[in-house]
Structure formats: structure tokens, C-alpha cells
Amino acid sequence: MNPRRQLTLAVLGGVLGGGLAWYAATRVWWTEVITRAPFPDKTVEHDGTSLAAWVLPLAIVGLAGALALVATRGVARTVVGALVAASGLGVAAGGGYGLAEQPGVWPAATALGGLLVLAAGAAALRSGRTWPHMSSRYERPAKAAPVSDDPAALWNALDRGEDPTSLNIGQKAPGEGSSG
């Protein structure tokens, strides 16, 4: 499989898994009925965050990290991949814990989402260095240091409407001809 396709699948898997876990963690995992005689029974609905509070934040981290794989490269992509894999592992553990405590479809969906995020992070760790990255045209250009340390020359450049950090002070600005 070519590297661009691997990147695309990892990002889509991470986003899908993080989104699924985010959605599933906010659904009602179980309903508790509290009897309060002589008063009416009280029904309390518990979502995934009631049982495993860490699931929702980790699902969001996994989703954002999967998107960040596109914007990173080299060591940064490896670090993001490790973060995505760790968050996926935490989400899957929360879903598994929910399945053990209160079996249902939403804990299973949370665990599945966590496994998708974990797979995206593992793919980034395994082969993320070979994936394509954004070109250098998206990076900030290096800041040119002014040639002159003379404050008057810097002010004069500003007065002419020039950026003193990008032009060599003392040289003629583009469009300036010789007078004479």
C-alpha cells in the first residue's frame, strides 16, 4: 500500500474511531431506578463518563491527534502517533471496563472506537516517517536580520514604508532609481 493511502486510512480511522467513542461515551449506558418509598421512584440515567470519566477527553485527544498527523512530520509525527495510540488504548480500556460493569451496545461502541484510534496511532508509529507531509510553502520563512544596527536607518526605512526586517538597510528599495 502506498504511503499516501496509509496516511489517509490512519487519519480516517482515527477520526472515525475518536468520533464514535465521543458519541458513544455520551449516550446512556445504563439506567438506575432508586426506590424512595413513600415517594415515587427516581430514575437516574448514567452515560459512559459516569463510569469511566477519562473516556471522553481521551476520545477528543485521539480525534484531534489523528487530524494532527497530516500537519506533522518526522519526530513530531512519531510523538503524535504515540499520543494517539495511548489515547486509543485508554478509550478502549474504558469501553472494556464499561462492558464488564454494564454490558451494552454503547460500551462496545466506545471500545471499538478506542481500538480504531489505537490502530491509527500504531500505524503512525510503524510507518509514519515514510508518509507524505505538507510542503515547506506552509512554513514561516526565516526572519531576515537587519543589516544595520543604526536606529536612524531603521526609522528611515519605516518612513519610506519598508519593512526594516526584510530589506537590507542602506540599499535602495525596489523601484528607486538614481537621482541625477
Side-chain angles (χ1 to χ4, degrees):
M1 187 181 311
N2 73 25
R4 183 172 304 280
R5 181 169 290 210
Q6 289 176 358
L7 172 62
T8 302
L9 289 176
V11 171
L12 288 177
V15 168
L16 178 67
L20 175 63
W22 185 345
Y23 182 75
T26 59
R27 302 299 98 199
V28 175
W29 284 18
W30 82 93
T31 304
E32 179 182 12
V33 178
I34 302 171
T35 56
R36 306 179 307 166
F39 300 107
D41 292 345
K42 181 178 179 183
T43 303
V44 180
E45 294 180 337
H46 298 279
D47 61 10
T49 60
S50 299
L51 186 60
W54 68 87
V55 171
L56 183 58
L58 287 180
I60 294 170
V61 167
L63 189 144
L67 291 172
L69 290 173
V70 174
T72 56
R73 64 177 168 185
V75 175
R77 184 175 280 168
T78 302
V79 170
V80 170
L83 183 65
V84 169
S87 66
L89 185 62
V91 170
Y97 179 63
L99 280 171
E101 292 294 317
Q102 296 290 332
V105 70
W106 295 120
T110 302
L112 176 64
L115 291 175
L116 285 171
V117 172
L118 175 62
L125 287 173
R126 183 180 63 248
S127 55
R129 289 186 176 263
T130 64
W131 293 346
H133 53 81
M134 293 178 10
S135 70
S136 61
R137 70 177 177 172
Y138 296 108
E139 295 177 7
R140 178 186 294 181
K143 190 174 182 181
V147 173
S148 174
D149 289 332
D150 180 21
L154 296 174
W155 281 110
N156 289 335
L158 285 173
D159 287 341
R160 288 190 306 264
E162 301 169 357
D163 180 5
T165 63
S166 65
L167 295 175
N168 292 329
I169 305 301
Q171 293 182 350
K172 296 185 182 204
E176 280 188 82
S178 61
S179 60

